């Protein structure tokens, strides 16, 4: 590192240069976190195909829930590897990418995205950010980056590198400085995976701009498939087809056992070492792997509430809850 790399007194902040970008790409390839500027807000980036790296995002943000993340890519060809485009999506991509628009589309059959990136859903969110540093980083790393706003869960989104350093400086390998964010609010999220487009989150591209291209867009709340969040009723993004039994301490014949910790006998184990970050990385892929007709139910051994355990248990309670409907409730992340 040279003194030129340091734009403020914070040693994690780097101005973009070829050398800095290749070091950032190398850190990402190793599964580390790199914060980078976009036109909306600064993102906390990780390799979106690496379960452990994505788990590290949730750990750094201290997120109590596994919300699905946006996969950022440099170009349309890269996006098409991850999700299946339809006509509306192509129109919006042509009109607004690169830019503050995120599209939710079905994952491709061979999508390399971690299921933690898409929170176990069969859809995934993608966007091409309109910022030269973000685009240069995406090209240097050559893989999609999962990136929520680079703030601890519940805090205000960062629009300068220094904001990131103040909030998460000790949690990231590097912070790339790209100046203050031009848009300053998160991207608009539109779900194009169903028969009707649905606005999931207002943001940098307005509803009327979108409607001028593809016609009327439904609102998230008007969707009949959104479960009402009544007290005591937990609803779910995605649940396995099989019922889920929580805190299993004994094994019942016919059940698929998802273990945690050193006890033997599980069909799959979230983390034999008892590491909750490793368990988070494995959670969705293992639930899917056990969701097979030869089993009667999935029994999950107890997972401690520490660290990402809170998010794991939240997700597991949702998977085990009664299932009135699919739900993709939005919340501040
Ligand atoms: O401007 C932005 O979008 C910033 C910058 C860094 O790009 N990123 C950002 O990411 O705001 P995040 O993770 O905070 O927000 C992602 C949003 C959430 O509201 C999430 O629920 C929604 O996208 N989302 C992602 N995948 C989804 C899916 N498969 N279905 C429904 N909603 C999804
Ligand atoms: Mg956020």
């Amino acid at each position: 590192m040279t003194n030129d790399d340091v734009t403020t007194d914070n040693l994690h902040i780097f101005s973009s240069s070829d050398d800095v970008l290749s070091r950032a790409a190398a850190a990402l390839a190793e599964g580390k976190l790199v914060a980078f500027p976009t036109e909306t807000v600064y993102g906390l980036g990780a390799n979106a195909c690496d379960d452990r790296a994505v788990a590290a995002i949730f750990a750094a943000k201290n997120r109590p829930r596994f919300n699905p993340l946006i996969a950022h890519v440099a170009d349309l060809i890269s996006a098409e590897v991850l999700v299946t485009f339809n006509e509306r999506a192509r129109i919006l991509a042509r009109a607004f990418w690169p830019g503050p628009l995120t599209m939710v589309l079905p994952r491709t059959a061979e999508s390399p995205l971690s299921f933690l990136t898409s929170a176990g859903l069969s859809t995934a969110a993608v966007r091409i950010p309109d910022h030269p540093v973000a685009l240069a980083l995406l090209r240097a790393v050559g893989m999609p980056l999962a990136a929520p706003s680079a703030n601890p869960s519940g805090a205000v989104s960062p629009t300068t590198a220094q904001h990131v350093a103040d909030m998460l400086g000790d949690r990231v390998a590097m912070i790339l400085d790209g100046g203050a964010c031009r848009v300053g609010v998160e991207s608009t999220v539109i779900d194009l995976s169903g028969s009707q487009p649905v606005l999931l989150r207002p943001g940098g591209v307005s509803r009327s701009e979108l409607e001028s291209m593809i016609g009327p867009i439904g609102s998230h709340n008007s969707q009949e498939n959104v479960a009402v969040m009544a007290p005591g009723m937990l609803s779910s993004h995605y649940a396995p087809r099989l019922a889920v039994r929580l805190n299993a301490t004994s094994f019942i014949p016919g059940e698929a056992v998802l273990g945690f910790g050193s006890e033997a006998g599980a069909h799959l184990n979230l983390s034999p070492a008892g590491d909750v970050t490793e368990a988070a990385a494995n959670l969705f892929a293992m639930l899917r792997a056990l969701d097979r007709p030869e089993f009667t139910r999935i029994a999950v051994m107890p997972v401690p509430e520490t660290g990402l355990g809170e998010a794991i248990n939240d997700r597991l309670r949702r998977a085990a809850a009664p299932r009135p409907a699919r739900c993709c409730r939005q919340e501040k992340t």
Side-chain angles (χ1 to χ4, degrees):
M1 189 172 74
T2 68
N3 284 334
D4 294 345
D5 292 333
V6 182
T7 53
T8 76
D9 55 355
N10 189 295
L11 294 178
H12 285 96
I13 299 182
F14 297 87
S15 307
S16 170
S17 68
D18 287 349
D19 176 49
V20 162
L21 286 169
S22 57
R23 274 190 283 158
L28 288 162
E30 282 170 24
K32 295 188 177 142
L33 304 182
V34 171
F36 63 93
T38 80
E39 79 282 32
T40 58
V41 299
Y42 274 71
L44 180 61
N47 177 357
C49 304
D50 177 343
D51 294 321
R52 286 210 65 138
V54 178
I57 291 180
F58 288 99
K61 282 185 67 99
N62 205 7
R63 264 200 190 182
R65 300 257 306 265
F66 293 127
N67 293 339
L69 304 177
I70 298 167
H72 297 70
V73 290
D75 49 50
L76 193 56
I77 292 172
S78 309
E80 283 182 304
V81 175
L82 310 178
V83 291
T84 303
F85 278 68
N86 53 39
E87 191 49 31
R88 288 191 186 102
R90 284 182 204 293
I91 292 170
L92 294 183
R94 267 197 297 276
F96 299 107
W97 278 0
L101 178 68
T102 295
M103 296 198 258
V104 173
L105 291 163
R107 291 171 60 110
T108 55
E110 301 303 320
S111 183
L113 284 179
S114 157
F115 274 108
L116 194 53
T117 298
S118 56
L121 295 163
S122 55
T123 55
V126 290
R127 88 175 185 101
I128 302 179
D130 185 16
H131 193 291
V133 175
L135 291 170
L137 179 66
L138 287 164
R139 288 193 190 103
V141 74
M143 44 201 156
L145 295 179
S149 50
N151 51 275
S153 188
V156 175
S157 297
T159 53
T160 66
Q162 190 62 48
H163 294 161
V164 182
D166 293 344
M167 294 190 288
L168 292 175
D170 56 343
R171 306 285 183 106
V172 294
M174 296 170 78
I175 301 167
L176 303 188
D177 193 350
C181 299
R182 175 171 61 78
V183 177
V185 295
E186 280 91 345
S187 61
T188 302
V189 181
I190 186 170
D191 184 351
L192 297 170
S193 65
S195 55
Q196 287 305 312
V198 179
L199 193 70
L200 296 181
R201 179 176 77 181
V205 176
S206 71
R207 172 191 285 272
S208 61
E209 284 177 286
L210 296 172
E211 289 187 332
S212 73
M213 305 299 300
I214 58 166
I217 296 170
S219 285
H220 183 233
N221 311 355
S222 69
Q223 281 286 290
E224 58 180 14
N225 67 349
V226 173
V228 181
M229 293 300 290
M233 189 174 93
L234 294 164
S235 57
S236 163
H237 282 309
Y238 159 86
R241 194 188 52 79
L242 291 177
V244 175
R245 182 167 72 92
L246 302 179
N247 297 317
T249 49
S250 59
F251 302 155
I252 297 173
E255 285 184 341
V257 178
L258 184 55
F260 177 88
S262 55
E263 197 171 328
H267 292 87
L268 290 174
N269 196 316
L270 290 167
S271 172
D275 172 351
V276 282
T277 303
E278 180 183 33
N282 287 328
L283 179 65
F284 291 113
M286 288 189 174
L287 280 175
R288 279 175 181 268
L290 293 179
D291 195 13
R292 295 204 309 262
E294 63 260 40
F295 296 119
T296 54
R297 191 160 58 178
I298 301 174
V300 190
M301 289 169 62
V303 176
E305 280 284 335
T306 49
L308 286 189
E310 189 184 354
I312 293 171
N313 285 317
D314 169 83
R315 187 64 193 76
L316 286 171
R317 281 191 290 272
R318 287 163 192 281
R323 301 165 191 177
R326 280 184 64 206
C327 176
C328 313
R329 199 166 69 105
Q330 296 292 296
E331 61 182 37
K332 185 170 169 51
T333 59

